[in-house]
Amino acid sequence: MKKLLFSLTIVFASAAASFGQTADEIISKAIDARGGAAKLNALKSMRMESTTSVMGMDLASKSVIVHKRGMRNDIEVMGQSIVVAIDGDKGWTINPMQGSDPVALPDEQVKATASQLDLSGMANIKESGAVAELMGKETLDGNETFKVKLTSKDGTIMTHYIDTKTYLTAKTSIKVTVSGQSVEVDTKMSNYKVVDGISFPHTTEISNPQAGAIVTTITKLELNPTIDESIFAMPKK
């Protein structure tokens, strides 16, 4: 009986070790599929132009991101520009249809967009202290994916659905708090194209309960441009 229990303990321990190692291996292959850790870590800024389809409208937008520093989106709607910006751990927006003054974004909304400021993607998962767990496989739009849950040091949970053939991320799901309620935001990623040796999804689709599917297609992408970081600062009223 003791030998049987000892053998079972070894089997379960080995299975657990293999389970954790498999999650690490999948992440490693996902990083390589994007272009490798060195190239991802060399990303310091991005500038892009895109078209967003939402509620039957096609909206042109321009976006800039500085790695772990700030982000700004300018979206043209009926001849007017809606601005959404992140400046460090704060954010703000200007919507001419609701007034000309800038309005601070709720902290939970800023936190929900924090992952977008990290241009290195999954390249520094271990260094960040995040815990990776393989949750099995799931079929997504007819393709098999690995379901990898990442829990950051602050407790934020983001699940990556990684294609078992290409090792590119097909979807992410992140749990955020909106108006005191926990909401899961799903973002599908497709139409990957290589820019300066790095693969980027040029089409993303975000599920929104109020507006339906929000589909964004990148039409122009520039890596490591010089960005005037003053554009992230909230204008004075």
Side-chain angles (χ1 to χ4, degrees), residues 56-137:
M57 297 184 293
D58 290 332
L59 311 176
S61 64
K62 295 182 179 180
S63 307
V64 293
I65 303 174
V66 173
H67 179 61
K68 292 186 176 182
R69 169 63 184 86
M71 175 175 67
R72 175 170 171 149
N73 297 325
D74 290 75
I75 308 168
E76 295 298 321
V77 182
M78 294 185 290
Q80 300 189 79
S81 183
I82 296 176
V83 181
V84 181
I86 303 295
D87 186 10
D89 59 355
K90 301 295 181 183
W92 56 274
T93 182
I94 294 178
N95 186 344
M97 300 175 188
Q98 298 177 351
S100 59
D101 291 335
V103 177
L105 293 176
D107 289 340
E108 60 263 26
Q109 187 173 343
V110 175
K111 183 178 179 181
T113 59
S115 62
Q116 298 179 42
L117 297 182
D118 189 351
L119 299 180
S120 63
M122 291 189 287
N124 299 299
I125 289 298
K126 289 184 178 179
E127 291 79 358
S128 70
V131 177
E133 299 175 75
L134 177 59
M135 309 303 291
K137 294 181 180 180

Side-chain angles (χ1 to χ4, degrees), residues 64-234:
V64 293
I65 303 174
V66 173
H67 179 61
K68 292 186 176 182
R69 169 63 184 86
M71 175 175 67
R72 175 170 171 149
N73 297 325
D74 290 75
I75 308 168
E76 295 298 321
V77 182
M78 294 185 290
Q80 300 189 79
S81 183
I82 296 176
V83 181
V84 181
I86 303 295
D87 186 10
D89 59 355
K90 301 295 181 183
W92 56 274
T93 182
I94 294 178
N95 186 344
M97 300 175 188
Q98 298 177 351
S100 59
D101 291 335
V103 177
L105 293 176
D107 289 340
E108 60 263 26
Q109 187 173 343
V110 175
K111 183 178 179 181
T113 59
S115 62
Q116 298 179 42
L117 297 182
D118 189 351
L119 299 180
S120 63
M122 291 189 287
N124 299 299
I125 289 298
K126 289 184 178 179
E127 291 79 358
S128 70
V131 177
E133 299 175 75
L134 177 59
M135 309 303 291
K137 294 181 180 180
E138 188 167 316
T139 300
L140 179 65
D141 295 332
N143 297 315
E144 187 180 58
T145 66
F146 293 111
K147 188 176 178 181
V148 179
K149 184 176 77 171
L150 299 176
T151 305
S152 66
K153 291 177 68 175
D154 66 0
T156 301
I157 297 175
M158 176 179 281
T159 303
H160 290 252
Y161 296 78
I162 301 171
D163 191 287
T164 59
K165 294 180 180 179
T166 64
Y167 284 91
L168 293 170
T169 299
K171 186 179 83 168
T172 62
S173 295
I174 183 170
K175 291 183 178 179
V176 298
T177 301
V178 179
S179 301
Q181 295 185 333
S182 180
V183 179
E184 191 161 1
V185 179
D186 294 339
T187 303
K188 289 185 178 181
M189 304 172 183
S190 60
N191 189 23
Y192 276 84
K193 296 180 182 180
V194 177
V195 179
D196 295 344
I198 303 175
S199 290
F200 290 93
H202 277 54
T203 300
T204 59
E205 179 181 331
I206 300 175
S207 299
N208 186 294
Q210 288 78 34
I214 302 174
V215 180
T216 300
T217 301
I218 296 174
T219 56
K220 184 178 180 180
L221 178 60
E222 183 183 359
L223 305 185
N224 291 328
T226 300
I227 304 294
D228 178 4
E229 296 183 11
S230 66
I231 64 173
F232 303 137
M234 184 174 177

Side-chain angles (χ1 to χ4, degrees), residues 1-12:
M1 187 66 178
K2 289 183 178 180
K3 289 184 178 180
L4 177 59
L5 291 174
F6 181 71
S7 299
L8 288 174
T9 300
I10 293 177
V11 169
F12 288 132

